[in-house]
Amino acid sequence: STTPAAPASLVARSLAWANTKGLQMSPEPGKYVHAPLSVTPFPISRSEFAKARDLAPIFNHLVEAIASDTDWLMSTLEATLESDSFTGRLARVLRDARAQGPECQPLHLGIHRSDYMLDEPQEVGGSGRTAKPALLQVELNTIASSFGCLSARVSELHRYTATLASDDVASLVEQDAAAALRSLCLDGKASALPHNEALYELPAAIAQARSAY
């Protein structure tokens, strides 16, 4: 099946909201456009959403452990340093810092973003049964201070569109999710859609790290 096109009025209102609320990016100096966005929230199961949240601190500890073992990290990345200029520059910064002696600041700040895609059900071994949809991690980004904040604006946009045009939004998502979304909107509870506090928490973390340093 194909996803129906969003009504032009909903798209126009969404883009107007994005451009007045800072949901923007700058492809070149002096030019601003709205960031890529969807006008509707994407439905996933509550259990998979909770799993992604529960995994976040585990991945954070894993990244910190790897970053702290610089000998292992450099030996593992050795083959990549010449072919990937970005990674090579980071490696040179690390080498230069280590050459100056033991690190003078034992505190670290990590800003990480995990990207997931929903793996659609597939038939299980010709049995006619399908597996449940599951989140699969695509990437773990360790330099994620900008678009992480934009994701908070996307969450706000979806609460806005769900309140503004609940029938239009519901018509664009899966049937079960549409019923739940309509129910939330009819009860005046569009605010119950998941909140994203990155816009406030990431700057607060950076400020706290600067103060500690």
Side-chain angles (χ1 to χ4, degrees), residues 99-200:
Q100 296 176 19
E103 65 176 349
C104 61
Q105 173 54 266
L107 300 178
H108 303 150
L109 170 66
I111 298 179
H112 307 148
R113 188 194 72 233
S114 283
D115 295 339
Y116 294 93
M117 294 187 71
L118 191 66
D119 185 39
E120 296 294 342
Q122 301 292 322
E123 187 172 334
V124 180
S127 64
R129 296 182 294 108
T130 56
K132 293 181 178 180
L135 289 180
L136 296 181
Q137 189 183 53
V138 177
E139 176 187 16
L140 199 162
N141 193 319
T142 58
I143 304 177
S145 59
S146 58
F147 271 49
C149 292
L150 285 186
S151 64
R153 288 295 190 219
V154 174
S155 295
E156 294 172 3
L157 169 65
H158 290 162
R159 286 191 289 278
Y160 167 74
T161 56
T163 303
L164 174 73
S166 58
D167 286 338
D168 286 338
V169 171
S171 71
L172 300 172
V173 299
E174 296 174 355
Q175 186 172 354
D176 291 343
L181 187 59
R182 280 196 177 95
S183 177
L184 284 175
C185 294
L186 286 174
D187 293 340
K189 296 179 180 178
S191 61
L193 292 171
H195 285 248
N196 186 319
E197 302 298 331
L199 181 60
Y200 310 102

Side-chain angles (χ1 to χ4, degrees), residues 5-73:
S9 59
L10 180 60
V11 173
R13 294 290 290 273
S14 298
L15 296 184
W17 189 98
N19 288 324
T20 56
K21 298 292 185 177
L23 182 47
Q24 295 180 311
M25 56 189 292
S26 177
E28 58 186 69
K31 182 178 181 180
Y32 296 90
V33 297
H34 66 82
L37 56 87
S38 66
V39 298
T40 66
F42 185 84
I44 65 171
S45 72
R46 184 182 298 272
S47 62
E48 291 300 304
F49 181 77
K51 185 187 299 181
R53 295 193 64 162
D54 291 343
L55 282 172
I58 298 173
F59 278 123
N60 289 343
H61 285 298
L62 176 62
V63 170
E64 170 63 14
I66 292 173
S68 299
D69 190 347
T70 53
D71 290 332
W72 181 88
L73 180 61

